[in-house]
Amino acid sequence: MPVHNVDIARIFEQIGDLLEIEDANPFRVRAYRNAARTVSSMGREAADLIAENEDLTSLAGIGKDLAGKIKTIVETGTLPLLEELEKGIGGELTTLLDVEGLGPKRVAILHKELGINDRKGLIKAAEAGKVRELSGFGRKTEQKILEDLGRVKEGRGRILLAEAEPSAESYRDYLKKVEGVKEVTVAGSYRRRRETVGDLDILVSCTKNSPVMEKFAAYEEVARIISKGDTRSTVVLHSGLHVDLRVLPEASYGAALHYFTGSKAHNIAVRKIGVSGGLKINEYGVYKGKKKVAGATEREVYAKVDLPYIEPELREDRGEIEAARNNALPELITLADIKGDLHSHTNATDGKNTIEEMAQAAKELDYEYLAVTDHSRRVTVANGLDEGRLREQMGKIDALNEKLSGISLLKGIEVDILSDGKLDLPDSVLRDLDIVVCSVHSKFNLAGDEQTERIIRAMDNKYFNILAHPSGRMLGKRQPYEVDMERLMRAAKERGVFLELNSQPERMDLTDIQLKSAKEIGVGVVISTDAHWGTNLNYMRFGIGQARRGWLAADDVVNTRSLAELRRLLKR
Ligand code: DGT
Ligand code: CA
Ligand code: CA
Ligand code: ZN
């Protein structure tokens, strides 16, 4: 079965957790966590690299031992070490880590002190009031645990769109090859390009005798079959992701696509319009009395309620129906509109490729320009550049631009916004750059007013071009810092500053809703990948999905402009 990077990362994370529960050497724990991060951010499938005989030890934090383990996982889907640890500790124990407020340390205490091995045991102990008596737990924690265990019984966690993508795409390709299958679409939140998905909803149209249901259940990534019928089935993949399949006749495909793409709120609103016109709309078609009047295409379904086609990313019941009715839907930006990337790193700091390699990768995407924006000195963990090293890099870029054809490199920096709103490098060097990307990497916990004012003070520096990852959030890991985003947007607009939409799958910073207000306020948005590898430049597709969810057209996005126009815009 194909092993994706997500699967490898998950195994390393599990090992890290299990080792921590076992109270192992913290360095060992960290080594596995770092390896998980490296693998999930490397942008190419480790399985492919191994197939091409590439040396994995050139990756940051991957030595001989870990490289060997990656190979074992790719070949066998698992790792003996993981199985040993699970046997030693009790495999169920790790499921406790998903409970809110429980990390490996606390799980270890629950296990040692109360002999708890699984969720059932934890519920029992918490209900008996035993958990609150443990040191470091308390009544509140116990209550939280009970609430969360009640909650997680139904809801499963959501996963990043980017993590779902490899399985979604390979499942689709696999189903397309099944005899008798005509169309396959991954619908649901995946098609709407939400930043996270709860499960995958696959629709298939096929001939009557197609073996698609058998094949669906027999797919190599399937771990467990939840239900299997003639027209619908549900399975769970090894990664834990649930997948629903619905099989429909071709004449209903459009109606089903509309129904299962959602969102639910959008569907309900469309159905209501239908009702007011005497029409019934469900997953099989649009009906007038008993007579089916549409259903083969989505366009047809919308036409019956007098609406133009509405793009999936807009279907959230956030005003798209009214806009459609008034012929005021935006012409959404596409990947082809993007002319370059304005945030990228090289191995001078924490990137993994040279400037030349990054330029080559951008050229392969047919970009006109790529901004090299390594970290500034304050970010010591990333080996940030001081003025001297930056000047050296600028010299290299000038020389490289002489040689390169078809792509221009912009000399830039991702400069830290210091706690007082000053920038981490002097104006004397910022002045000589083509582009200055600014970001917050410290003091996340300032009060909202202070944080907002700190950032606006930084924008007062006339070399400030782009505010990177404006909210600082990391999906599932870090809350956004407190900041008045609309005030930031207005301040940026007044000063000729742009806001970044960072396309790293776990950042996706700004949100769809924030992007829509950026458009309303009229501040320019830059869609960037913050690439740390050449292949990361392909994260642009996630930014585009998010931008479309935020109603953005090509015109709203700065890096759809030609290089000449961009240069003008960067001069404040
Ligand atoms: P997810 O999986 O949580 O990321 O979000 P979705 O949007 O993929 O939701 P899901 O998988 O529960 O259902 C897929 C689509 O099916 C959903 O977007 C709309 C449709 N759907 C599900 N339940 C209902 C319902 O009760 N009424 C209507 N009108 N549509 C529904
Ligand atoms: Ca879904
Ligand atoms: Ca579903
Ligand atoms: Zn960056």
Side-chain angles (χ1 to χ4, degrees), residues 184-212:
V184 184
T185 310
V186 185
S189 51
Y190 184 82
R191 184 164 178 240
R192 302 198 313 280
R193 306 309 281 165
R194 268 194 72 176
E195 59 200 21
T196 61
V197 301
D199 69 0
L200 294 177
D201 308 277
I202 305 185
L203 300 189
V204 165
S205 68
C206 60
T207 55
K208 263 219 172 87
N209 48 9
S210 165
V212 66

PDB file of all heavy atoms in Angstrom, residues 184-212:
ATOM      1  N   VAL A 184     -15.924  10.407 -11.166  1.00  0.00           N
ATOM      2  CA  VAL A 184     -15.592  10.331  -9.746  1.00  0.00           C
ATOM      3  C   VAL A 184     -15.283  11.746  -9.273  1.00  0.00           C
ATOM      4  O   VAL A 184     -14.503  12.451  -9.905  1.00  0.00           O
ATOM      5  CB  VAL A 184     -14.339   9.456  -9.489  1.00  0.00           C
ATOM      6  CG1 VAL A 184     -14.083   9.329  -7.999  1.00  0.00           C
ATOM      7  CG2 VAL A 184     -14.477   8.091 -10.136  1.00  0.00           C
ATOM      8  N   THR A 185     -15.924  12.171  -8.200  1.00  0.00           N
ATOM      9  CA  THR A 185     -15.609  13.483  -7.627  1.00  0.00           C
ATOM     10  C   THR A 185     -15.489  13.361  -6.114  1.00  0.00           C
ATOM     11  O   THR A 185     -16.317  12.706  -5.480  1.00  0.00           O
ATOM     12  CB  THR A 185     -16.726  14.515  -7.918  1.00  0.00           C
ATOM     13  OG1 THR A 185     -17.043  14.488  -9.305  1.00  0.00           O
ATOM     14  CG2 THR A 185     -16.295  15.914  -7.515  1.00  0.00           C
ATOM     15  N   VAL A 186     -14.449  13.969  -5.560  1.00  0.00           N
ATOM     16  CA  VAL A 186     -14.385  14.083  -4.104  1.00  0.00           C
ATOM     17  C   VAL A 186     -15.142  15.358  -3.752  1.00  0.00           C
ATOM     18  O   VAL A 186     -14.702  16.460  -4.080  1.00  0.00           O
ATOM     19  CB  VAL A 186     -12.931  14.142  -3.599  1.00  0.00           C
ATOM     20  CG1 VAL A 186     -12.911  14.131  -2.075  1.00  0.00           C
ATOM     21  CG2 VAL A 186     -12.126  12.972  -4.157  1.00  0.00           C
ATOM     22  N   ALA A 187     -16.301  15.203  -3.150  1.00  0.00           N
ATOM     23  CA  ALA A 187     -17.186  16.351  -2.883  1.00  0.00           C
ATOM     24  C   ALA A 187     -16.963  16.869  -1.459  1.00  0.00           C
ATOM     25  O   ALA A 187     -15.836  16.892  -0.983  1.00  0.00           O
ATOM     26  CB  ALA A 187     -18.632  15.929  -3.123  1.00  0.00           C
ATOM     27  N   GLY A 188     -18.010  17.304  -0.782  1.00  0.00           N
ATOM     28  CA  GLY A 188     -17.906  17.752   0.613  1.00  0.00           C
ATOM     29  C   GLY A 188     -16.969  18.935   0.793  1.00  0.00           C
ATOM     30  O   GLY A 188     -16.675  19.690  -0.135  1.00  0.00           O
ATOM     31  N   SER A 189     -16.482  19.060   2.034  1.00  0.00           N
ATOM     32  CA  SER A 189     -15.613  20.183   2.370  1.00  0.00           C
ATOM     33  C   SER A 189     -14.320  20.136   1.557  1.00  0.00           C
ATOM     34  O   SER A 189     -13.684  21.159   1.351  1.00  0.00           O
ATOM     35  CB  SER A 189     -15.284  20.149   3.859  1.00  0.00           C
ATOM     36  OG  SER A 189     -14.809  18.864   4.218  1.00  0.00           O
ATOM     37  N   TYR A 190     -13.928  18.949   1.114  1.00  0.00           N
ATOM     38  CA  TYR A 190     -12.717  18.825   0.300  1.00  0.00           C
ATOM     39  C   TYR A 190     -12.868  19.625  -0.991  1.00  0.00           C
ATOM     40  O   TYR A 190     -11.981  20.358  -1.395  1.00  0.00           O
ATOM     41  CB  TYR A 190     -12.456  17.351  -0.018  1.00  0.00           C
ATOM     42  CG  TYR A 190     -11.174  17.117  -0.771  1.00  0.00           C
ATOM     43  CD1 TYR A 190      -9.958  17.054  -0.099  1.00  0.00           C
ATOM     44  CD2 TYR A 190     -11.161  16.978  -2.151  1.00  0.00           C
ATOM     45  CE1 TYR A 190      -8.772  16.850  -0.776  1.00  0.00           C
ATOM     46  CE2 TYR A 190      -9.977  16.768  -2.841  1.00  0.00           C
ATOM     47  CZ  TYR A 190      -8.790  16.711  -2.143  1.00  0.00           C
ATOM     48  OH  TYR A 190      -7.613  16.515  -2.816  1.00  0.00           O
ATOM     49  N   ARG A 191     -14.017  19.490  -1.621  1.00  0.00           N
ATOM     50  CA  ARG A 191     -14.250  20.223  -2.870  1.00  0.00           C
ATOM     51  C   ARG A 191     -14.425  21.716  -2.610  1.00  0.00           C
ATOM     52  O   ARG A 191     -14.073  22.540  -3.455  1.00  0.00           O
ATOM     53  CB  ARG A 191     -15.489  19.653  -3.575  1.00  0.00           C
ATOM     54  CG  ARG A 191     -15.761  20.296  -4.926  1.00  0.00           C
ATOM     55  CD  ARG A 191     -16.730  19.470  -5.758  1.00  0.00           C
ATOM     56  NE  ARG A 191     -17.007  20.111  -7.019  1.00  0.00           N
ATOM     57  CZ  ARG A 191     -18.225  20.497  -7.421  1.00  0.00           C
ATOM     58  NH1 ARG A 191     -19.283  20.267  -6.646  1.00  0.00           N
ATOM     59  NH2 ARG A 191     -18.378  21.085  -8.577  1.00  0.00           N
ATOM     60  N   ARG A 192     -14.951  22.058  -1.465  1.00  0.00           N
ATOM     61  CA  ARG A 192     -15.089  23.476  -1.107  1.00  0.00           C
ATOM     62  C   ARG A 192     -13.748  24.056  -0.650  1.00  0.00           C
ATOM     63  O   ARG A 192     -13.660  25.223  -0.305  1.00  0.00           O
ATOM     64  CB  ARG A 192     -16.147  23.669  -0.018  1.00  0.00           C
ATOM     65  CG  ARG A 192     -17.526  23.158  -0.380  1.00  0.00           C
ATOM     66  CD  ARG A 192     -18.633  23.741   0.504  1.00  0.00           C
ATOM     67  NE  ARG A 192     -18.360  23.708   1.926  1.00  0.00           N
ATOM     68  CZ  ARG A 192     -18.509  22.642   2.718  1.00  0.00           C
ATOM     69  NH1 ARG A 192     -18.941  21.508   2.224  1.00  0.00           N
ATOM     70  NH2 ARG A 192     -18.227  22.714   4.011  1.00  0.00           N
ATOM     71  N   ARG A 193     -12.719  23.227  -0.594  1.00  0.00           N
ATOM     72  CA  ARG A 193     -11.359  23.620  -0.205  1.00  0.00           C
ATOM     73  C   ARG A 193     -11.282  24.224   1.194  1.00  0.00           C
ATOM     74  O   ARG A 193     -10.523  25.181   1.432  1.00  0.00           O
ATOM     75  CB  ARG A 193     -10.736  24.589  -1.226  1.00  0.00           C
ATOM     76  CG  ARG A 193     -10.740  24.094  -2.652  1.00  0.00           C
ATOM     77  CD  ARG A 193     -10.174  22.728  -2.826  1.00  0.00           C
ATOM     78  NE  ARG A 193      -8.717  22.648  -2.831  1.00  0.00           N
ATOM     79  CZ  ARG A 193      -8.033  21.515  -2.689  1.00  0.00           C
ATOM     80  NH1 ARG A 193      -8.671  20.377  -2.526  1.00  0.00           N
ATOM     81  NH2 ARG A 193      -6.716  21.516  -2.701  1.00  0.00           N
ATOM     82  N   ARG A 194     -12.073  23.649   2.115  1.00  0.00           N
ATOM     83  CA  ARG A 194     -11.914  24.109   3.500  1.00  0.00           C
ATOM     84  C   ARG A 194     -10.522  23.760   3.988  1.00  0.00           C
ATOM     85  O   ARG A 194      -9.948  22.763   3.592  1.00  0.00           O
ATOM     86  CB  ARG A 194     -12.942  23.414   4.406  1.00  0.00           C
ATOM     87  CG  ARG A 194     -14.234  24.191   4.550  1.00  0.00           C
ATOM     88  CD  ARG A 194     -15.070  23.661   5.691  1.00  0.00           C
ATOM     89  NE  ARG A 194     -14.515  23.998   6.994  1.00  0.00           N
ATOM     90  CZ  ARG A 194     -15.114  23.717   8.151  1.00  0.00           C
ATOM     91  NH1 ARG A 194     -16.288  23.099   8.150  1.00  0.00           N
ATOM     92  NH2 ARG A 194     -14.567  24.048   9.294  1.00  0.00           N
ATOM     93  N   GLU A 195      -9.967  24.541   4.902  1.00  0.00           N
ATOM     94  CA  GLU A 195      -8.595  24.326   5.355  1.00  0.00           C
ATOM     95  C   GLU A 195      -8.444  23.007   6.122  1.00  0.00           C
ATOM     96  O   GLU A 195      -7.350  22.446   6.190  1.00  0.00           O
ATOM     97  CB  GLU A 195      -8.141  25.504   6.220  1.00  0.00           C
ATOM     98  CG  GLU A 195      -9.024  25.690   7.437  1.00  0.00           C
ATOM     99  CD  GLU A 195      -8.944  27.072   8.059  1.00  0.00           C
ATOM    100  OE1 GLU A 195      -8.527  28.011   7.368  1.00  0.00           O
ATOM    101  OE2 GLU A 195      -9.314  27.201   9.232  1.00  0.00           O
ATOM    102  N   THR A 196      -9.536  22.529   6.716  1.00  0.00           N
ATOM    103  CA  THR A 196      -9.521  21.206   7.340  1.00  0.00           C
ATOM    104  C   THR A 196     -10.740  20.433   6.857  1.00  0.00           C
ATOM    105  O   THR A 196     -11.745  21.030   6.479  1.00  0.00           O
ATOM    106  CB  THR A 196      -9.607  21.281   8.877  1.00  0.00           C
ATOM    107  OG1 THR A 196     -10.839  21.914   9.239  1.00  0.00           O
ATOM    108  CG2 THR A 196      -8.445  22.040   9.483  1.00  0.00           C
ATOM    109  N   VAL A 197     -10.643  19.113   6.866  1.00  0.00           N
ATOM    110  CA  VAL A 197     -11.811  18.304   6.495  1.00  0.00           C
ATOM    111  C   VAL A 197     -12.110  17.286   7.589  1.00  0.00           C
ATOM    112  O   VAL A 197     -11.207  16.777   8.251  1.00  0.00           O
ATOM    113  CB  VAL A 197     -11.632  17.573   5.143  1.00  0.00           C
ATOM    114  CG1 VAL A 197     -11.384  18.563   4.023  1.00  0.00           C
ATOM    115  CG2 VAL A 197     -10.513  16.562   5.206  1.00  0.00           C
ATOM    116  N   GLY A 198     -13.403  17.019   7.777  1.00  0.00           N
ATOM    117  CA  GLY A 198     -13.844  16.032   8.768  1.00  0.00           C
ATOM    118  C   GLY A 198     -13.776  14.639   8.172  1.00  0.00           C
ATOM    119  O   GLY A 198     -13.271  13.702   8.792  1.00  0.00           O
ATOM    120  N   ASP A 199     -14.285  14.483   6.964  1.00  0.00           N
ATOM    121  CA  ASP A 199     -14.159  13.208   6.262  1.00  0.00           C
ATOM    122  C   ASP A 199     -14.222  13.482   4.768  1.00  0.00           C
ATOM    123  O   ASP A 199     -14.425  14.619   4.342  1.00  0.00           O
ATOM    124  CB  ASP A 199     -15.258  12.217   6.692  1.00  0.00           C
ATOM    125  CG  ASP A 199     -16.642  12.615   6.219  1.00  0.00           C
ATOM    126  OD1 ASP A 199     -16.780  13.666   5.546  1.00  0.00           O
ATOM    127  OD2 ASP A 199     -17.592  11.865   6.489  1.00  0.00           O
ATOM    128  N   LEU A 200     -14.011  12.441   3.968  1.00  0.00           N
ATOM    129  CA  LEU A 200     -14.090  12.600   2.513  1.00  0.00           C
ATOM    130  C   LEU A 200     -15.427  12.047   2.034  1.00  0.00           C
ATOM    131  O   LEU A 200     -15.909  11.032   2.550  1.00  0.00           O
ATOM    132  CB  LEU A 200     -12.953  11.843   1.833  1.00  0.00           C
ATOM    133  CG  LEU A 200     -11.542  12.345   2.106  1.00  0.00           C
ATOM    134  CD1 LEU A 200     -10.521  11.451   1.412  1.00  0.00           C
ATOM    135  CD2 LEU A 200     -11.372  13.801   1.646  1.00  0.00           C
ATOM    136  N   ASP A 201     -16.019  12.700   1.058  1.00  0.00           N
ATOM    137  CA  ASP A 201     -17.289  12.265   0.476  1.00  0.00           C
ATOM    138  C   ASP A 201     -17.063  12.068  -1.017  1.00  0.00           C
ATOM    139  O   ASP A 201     -16.927  13.038  -1.750  1.00  0.00           O
ATOM    140  CB  ASP A 201     -18.353  13.335   0.710  1.00  0.00           C
ATOM    141  CG  ASP A 201     -18.430  13.741   2.177  1.00  0.00           C
ATOM    142  OD1 ASP A 201     -19.094  13.042   2.937  1.00  0.00           O
ATOM    143  OD2 ASP A 201     -17.795  14.752   2.554  1.00  0.00           O
ATOM    144  N   ILE A 202     -16.995  10.819  -1.433  1.00  0.00           N
ATOM    145  CA  ILE A 202     -16.707  10.540  -2.840  1.00  0.00           C
ATOM    146  C   ILE A 202     -17.992  10.140  -3.567  1.00  0.00           C
ATOM    147  O   ILE A 202     -18.775   9.334  -3.061  1.00  0.00           O
ATOM    148  CB  ILE A 202     -15.652   9.419  -2.987  1.00  0.00           C
ATOM    149  CG1 ILE A 202     -14.396   9.785  -2.189  1.00  0.00           C
ATOM    150  CG2 ILE A 202     -15.325   9.183  -4.455  1.00  0.00           C
ATOM    151  CD1 ILE A 202     -13.242   8.810  -2.363  1.00  0.00           C
ATOM    152  N   LEU A 203     -18.202  10.745  -4.723  1.00  0.00           N
ATOM    153  CA  LEU A 203     -19.361  10.412  -5.550  1.00  0.00           C
ATOM    154  C   LEU A 203     -18.895   9.725  -6.820  1.00  0.00           C
ATOM    155  O   LEU A 203     -17.906  10.122  -7.418  1.00  0.00           O
ATOM    156  CB  LEU A 203     -20.111  11.671  -5.963  1.00  0.00           C
ATOM    157  CG  LEU A 203     -20.662  12.546  -4.853  1.00  0.00           C
ATOM    158  CD1 LEU A 203     -21.541  13.617  -5.462  1.00  0.00           C
ATOM    159  CD2 LEU A 203     -21.432  11.720  -3.856  1.00  0.00           C
ATOM    160  N   VAL A 204     -19.660   8.715  -7.222  1.00  0.00           N
ATOM    161  CA  VAL A 204     -19.323   7.977  -8.422  1.00  0.00           C
ATOM    162  C   VAL A 204     -20.580   7.788  -9.258  1.00  0.00           C
ATOM    163  O   VAL A 204     -21.651   7.492  -8.715  1.00  0.00           O
ATOM    164  CB  VAL A 204     -18.743   6.587  -8.052  1.00  0.00           C
ATOM    165  CG1 VAL A 204     -18.718   5.665  -9.260  1.00  0.00           C
ATOM    166  CG2 VAL A 204     -17.347   6.724  -7.470  1.00  0.00           C
ATOM    167  N   SER A 205     -20.454   7.977 -10.583  1.00  0.00           N
ATOM    168  CA  SER A 205     -21.526   7.504 -11.462  1.00  0.00           C
ATOM    169  C   SER A 205     -20.943   6.381 -12.300  1.00  0.00           C
ATOM    170  O   SER A 205     -19.769   6.424 -12.676  1.00  0.00           O
ATOM    171  CB  SER A 205     -22.060   8.633 -12.340  1.00  0.00           C
ATOM    172  OG  SER A 205     -21.086   9.029 -13.272  1.00  0.00           O
ATOM    173  N   CYS A 206     -21.761   5.359 -12.538  1.00  0.00           N
ATOM    174  CA  CYS A 206     -21.225   4.181 -13.229  1.00  0.00           C
ATOM    175  C   CYS A 206     -22.352   3.376 -13.868  1.00  0.00           C
ATOM    176  O   CYS A 206     -23.534   3.641 -13.642  1.00  0.00           O
ATOM    177  CB  CYS A 206     -20.460   3.300 -12.244  1.00  0.00           C
ATOM    178  SG  CYS A 206     -21.475   2.721 -10.895  1.00  0.00           S
ATOM    179  N   THR A 207     -21.968   2.376 -14.640  1.00  0.00           N
ATOM    180  CA  THR A 207     -22.957   1.493 -15.240  1.00  0.00           C
ATOM    181  C   THR A 207     -23.526   0.579 -14.157  1.00  0.00           C
ATOM    182  O   THR A 207     -22.937   0.419 -13.093  1.00  0.00           O
ATOM    183  CB  THR A 207     -22.304   0.621 -16.322  1.00  0.00           C
ATOM    184  OG1 THR A 207     -21.202  -0.066 -15.715  1.00  0.00           O
ATOM    185  CG2 THR A 207     -21.793   1.466 -17.478  1.00  0.00           C
ATOM    186  N   LYS A 208     -24.656  -0.041 -14.456  1.00  0.00           N
ATOM    187  CA  LYS A 208     -25.379  -0.838 -13.459  1.00  0.00           C
ATOM    188  C   LYS A 208     -24.545  -1.937 -12.823  1.00  0.00           C
ATOM    189  O   LYS A 208     -24.594  -2.158 -11.630  1.00  0.00           O
ATOM    190  CB  LYS A 208     -26.619  -1.465 -14.117  1.00  0.00           C
ATOM    191  CG  LYS A 208     -27.889  -0.655 -13.858  1.00  0.00           C
ATOM    192  CD  LYS A 208     -29.073  -1.597 -13.603  1.00  0.00           C
ATOM    193  CE  LYS A 208     -30.306  -0.835 -13.160  1.00  0.00           C
ATOM    194  NZ  LYS A 208     -31.109  -0.364 -14.291  1.00  0.00           N
ATOM    195  N   ASN A 209     -23.778  -2.653 -13.672  1.00  0.00           N
ATOM    196  CA  ASN A 209     -23.085  -3.836 -13.140  1.00  0.00           C
ATOM    197  C   ASN A 209     -21.638  -3.568 -12.733  1.00  0.00           C
ATOM    198  O   ASN A 209     -20.853  -4.497 -12.564  1.00  0.00           O
ATOM    199  CB  ASN A 209     -23.144  -4.970 -14.168  1.00  0.00           C
ATOM    200  CG  ASN A 209     -22.749  -4.444 -15.548  1.00  0.00           C
ATOM    201  OD1 ASN A 209     -22.285  -3.296 -15.661  1.00  0.00           O
ATOM    202  ND2 ASN A 209     -22.926  -5.253 -16.574  1.00  0.00           N
ATOM    203  N   SER A 210     -21.275  -2.289 -12.549  1.00  0.00           N
ATOM    204  CA  SER A 210     -19.894  -1.973 -12.175  1.00  0.00           C
ATOM    205  C   SER A 210     -19.566  -2.528 -10.780  1.00  0.00           C
ATOM    206  O   SER A 210     -20.368  -2.418  -9.853  1.00  0.00           O
ATOM    207  CB  SER A 210     -19.694  -0.460 -12.187  1.00  0.00           C
ATOM    208  OG  SER A 210     -18.496  -0.141 -11.517  1.00  0.00           O
ATOM    209  N   PRO A 211     -18.373  -3.109 -10.615  1.00  0.00           N
ATOM    210  CA  PRO A 211     -17.993  -3.646  -9.300  1.00  0.00           C
ATOM    211  C   PRO A 211     -17.448  -2.574  -8.352  1.00  0.00           C
ATOM    212  O   PRO A 211     -16.671  -2.876  -7.461  1.00  0.00           O
ATOM    213  CB  PRO A 211     -16.897  -4.651  -9.660  1.00  0.00           C
ATOM    214  CG  PRO A 211     -16.252  -4.073 -10.874  1.00  0.00           C
ATOM    215  CD  PRO A 211     -17.338  -3.370 -11.637  1.00  0.00           C
ATOM    216  N   VAL A 212     -17.873  -1.326  -8.529  1.00  0.00           N
ATOM    217  CA  VAL A 212     -17.230  -0.212  -7.812  1.00  0.00           C
ATOM    218  C   VAL A 212     -17.319  -0.350  -6.288  1.00  0.00           C
ATOM    219  O   VAL A 212     -16.380  -0.015  -5.570  1.00  0.00           O
ATOM    220  CB  VAL A 212     -17.783   1.156  -8.298  1.00  0.00           C
ATOM    221  CG1 VAL A 212     -19.238   1.331  -7.941  1.00  0.00           C
ATOM    222  CG2 VAL A 212     -16.937   2.295  -7.771  1.00  0.00           C
TER     223      VAL A 212
END
